[in-house]
Amino acid sequence: MARQSLALPSQQWYRRGRLWVAPTTGATIAVLAGVALLLIDNYFITADTLVPPKYLGSPETARALLSVTATSIATLTALVLTIVTVMVQLASDKYSHRALRTFLQDRHSHLTLGVFVGTFTFAVLALLGLDATIEDGVVVGLTIPAAFGLAVVTIGIFVSYIDHIVHAVRGTSIITRIGSDTRGEIDRLHPDPIDADVSDVSGELTDEPQVVISAPRPGVVYELDITGLVEWAAAADASIVIRPAVGDFLPGGSPMIDVYDDGDEHDAIVGFVRLDPERTITDDVGFGFRLLIDIAENALSPGVNDPTTAVQCLDQIHDLLRRLATRHIPSGWHADGDGTPRVYVQPRTWEGYVDLACNEIRIFGEGDMQIARRMRHMLLDLRAVCPPCRREPIDRALELLDESVERGFASAEDRAMACRPDAQGLGGGPNS
């Protein structure tokens, strides 16, 4: 049976890059921990049989240190937010604004903000409850040492974050991360080899649909709850066709779902097709290619003229296509537990992946020696590893590349050089 969506609603905040979730979580944990420690400290003070741990300092010193900690952490939090803002702006200008979500989803940034806000909240709470931890002019209990220990940990995380962000903002890191995220989706969506014993679900709909459900608002289809759709269709003994593919934009009120049944309750179906203002790599392997292509095209623009960065994008595209070349790409049909086809979603084909990966970069890089050589190396390698049934799109891409070389280079010697495959574009082979 075809693969069904494994996405969890709890992952939505992370995939959308919501920066408020981690700080809110950190503040909540800090409040709970702070209240618990203050209650424990109060128990130490009121229980005569227990010896509470003591902070070796006066209450005035503890109050001053907590005030400095809270102020310093607030300043560092503002600095981190400034760094994230500048990083996002740089990525938007130099690479692609569609790559911004990879920054907003950066786990290290979320962790850093969460710890900083949590430490600030804990320090303020400890400051407010300081009087409750004083016995005979001495601060006792666990709250104050915990606040100071958390401050030290926060400084260490800040240093680690600076090191992380310096490397993360580099073009190589951005391209590698997009490639890594896309590889994860390929492995999740297309785990089976092409020669695996996988029975594809097939179905056929020849009649007109009884009901056509329109998009409730404009947006990009960023996720389909296939499991929910299949369960609904099985319960209603219906068949469903999702007109847009994942990643398609739908104008408000345009046809979105065709329903083949005789029922009249279809409101629940709309919630299984999730719309968002922009695409994500999740459930959308093509968007990973799109991000890499955007960066390559920007690098090949006359104002930038950085073909080496475009070659780095082709490196990742090569690996992605190589994975897909030998993977089973299922049909768009999804069946219920009895094997009855219930839901059809437009699949992206191998031919579509090849066209997407090659055509725009070839056009933008026409006349560039590195692009011609690196793309030829990629296509020849793909042709060698993919099964015969998938070679036609590769052969067509090679023919288009030959035509591009003919147009892009006036000299016969340059054309001959541009036709040599090279893993580095220039300098990667003995004949370079």
Side-chain angles (χ1 to χ4, degrees):
M1 185 170 70
R3 176 212 156 265
Q4 298 181 1
S5 176
L6 303 177
L8 299 175
S10 59
Q11 297 173 339
Q12 300 305 314
W13 69 268
Y14 175 71
R15 285 186 290 172
R16 295 188 180 200
R18 303 302 192 196
L19 290 177
W20 60 268
V21 177
T24 302
T25 303
T28 302
I29 294 174
V31 169
L32 295 176
V35 171
L37 288 178
L38 286 173
L39 291 175
I40 293 173
D41 293 346
N42 184 67
Y43 180 73
F44 274 131
I45 293 175
T46 56
D48 296 335
T49 59
L50 297 176
V51 180
K54 295 179 172 60
Y55 162 69
L56 301 179
S58 65
E60 291 74 17
T61 303
R63 185 173 286 106
L65 288 175
L66 287 174
S67 299
V68 170
T69 298
T71 303
S72 301
I73 297 302
T75 302
L76 288 179
T77 303
L79 179 59
V80 169
L81 289 173
T82 302
I83 291 173
V84 171
T85 302
V86 172
M87 180 179 63
V88 166
Q89 184 63 44
L90 286 173
S92 177
D93 293 341
K94 187 172 182 181
Y95 303 109
S96 168
H97 69 275
R98 279 175 286 275
L100 297 186
R101 182 165 286 190
T102 62
F103 290 105
L104 299 178
Q105 293 174 339
D106 181 62
R107 294 181 185 272
H108 209 134
S109 297
H110 286 277
L111 173 65
T112 301
L113 288 173
V115 172
F116 277 26
V117 172
T119 302
F120 172 79
T121 304
F122 190 92
V124 171
L125 192 62
L127 187 60
L128 293 174
L130 182 62
D131 292 339
T133 63
I134 298 176
E135 182 183 32
D136 299 330
V138 178
V139 179
V140 301
L142 302 171
T143 305
I144 303 304
F148 295 155
L150 193 56
V152 173
V153 171
T154 302
I155 296 299
I157 290 179
F158 176 73
V159 174
S160 172
Y161 181 71
I162 295 298
D163 175 75
H164 165 76
I165 212 64
V166 167
H167 292 87
V169 77
R170 297 169 59 240
T172 301
S173 299
I174 297 170
I175 294 169
T176 301
R177 176 169 180 176
I178 294 172
S180 177
D181 290 345
T182 309
R183 277 189 290 275
E185 285 303 298
I186 290 175
D187 293 340
R188 189 172 71 89
L189 297 173
H190 308 297
D192 301 313
I194 193 171
D195 56 354
D197 185 16
V198 179
S199 58
D200 249 343
V201 179
S202 61
E204 184 177 356
L205 297 171
T206 58
D207 300 329
E208 291 295 321
Q210 280 73 36
V211 178
V212 177
I213 299 177
S214 301
R217 63 182 186 280
V220 173
V221 178
Y222 79 94
E223 183 184 36
L224 298 173
D225 184 355
I226 300 298
T227 300
L229 286 167
V230 170
E231 290 176 352
W232 185 95
D237 192 21
S239 297
I240 297 174
V241 173
I242 309 298
R243 291 199 182 189
V246 175
D248 286 354
F249 176 83
L250 282 177
S254 61
M256 183 172 70
I257 306 172
D258 293 340
V259 183
Y260 295 81
D261 76 338
D262 297 325
D264 55 2
E265 294 294 334
H266 306 97
D267 294 340
I269 305 180
V270 177
F272 297 130
V273 180
R274 290 157 187 160
L275 304 178
D276 198 64
E278 59 179 322
R279 296 171 69 178
T280 69
I281 291 179
T282 304
D283 280 350
D284 189 0
V285 172
F287 187 56
F289 282 95
R290 168 52 55 198
L291 292 176
L292 293 170
I293 293 165
D294 284 352
I295 295 174
E297 290 176 355
N298 184 72
L300 292 171
S301 63
V304 178
N305 195 25
D306 182 14
T308 302
T309 295
V311 167
Q312 290 178 323
C313 293
L314 281 173
D315 292 342
Q316 296 296 322
I317 291 172
H318 184 179
D319 179 74
L320 299 176
L321 286 177
R322 210 174 196 275
R323 286 171 180 262
L324 284 167
T326 56
R327 299 290 179 92
H328 172 72
I329 300 177
S331 71
W333 281 100
H334 300 265
D336 59 17
D338 297 329
T340 304
R342 292 296 183 185
V343 178
Y344 179 78
V345 181
Q346 293 186 38
R348 189 182 291 275
T349 63
W350 165 247
E351 180 181 3
Y353 281 120
V354 173
D355 290 344
L356 173 65
C358 298
N359 288 344
E360 291 184 49
I361 296 180
R362 172 180 52 78
I363 293 171
F364 272 75
E366 187 169 293
D368 187 277
M369 188 72 68
Q370 289 194 62
I371 298 302
R373 291 163 64 103
R374 180 62 183 91
M375 185 169 287
R376 187 174 299 276
H377 172 80
M378 175 184 76
L379 292 172
L380 291 176
D381 178 67
L382 290 173
R383 195 181 190 284
V385 299
C386 72
C389 62
R390 290 188 174 175
R391 286 177 183 168
E392 183 179 350
I394 303 296
D395 292 338
R396 185 172 64 253
L398 283 167
E399 292 174 3
L400 292 173
L401 182 59
D402 289 338
E403 295 175 6
S404 178
V405 169
E406 288 292 327
R407 292 191 302 267
F409 298 91
S411 166
E413 185 175 348
D414 286 343
R415 287 195 296 271
M417 186 179 298
C419 287
R420 297 173 188 168
D422 192 333
Q424 294 183 19
L426 276 176
N431 298 321
S432 301

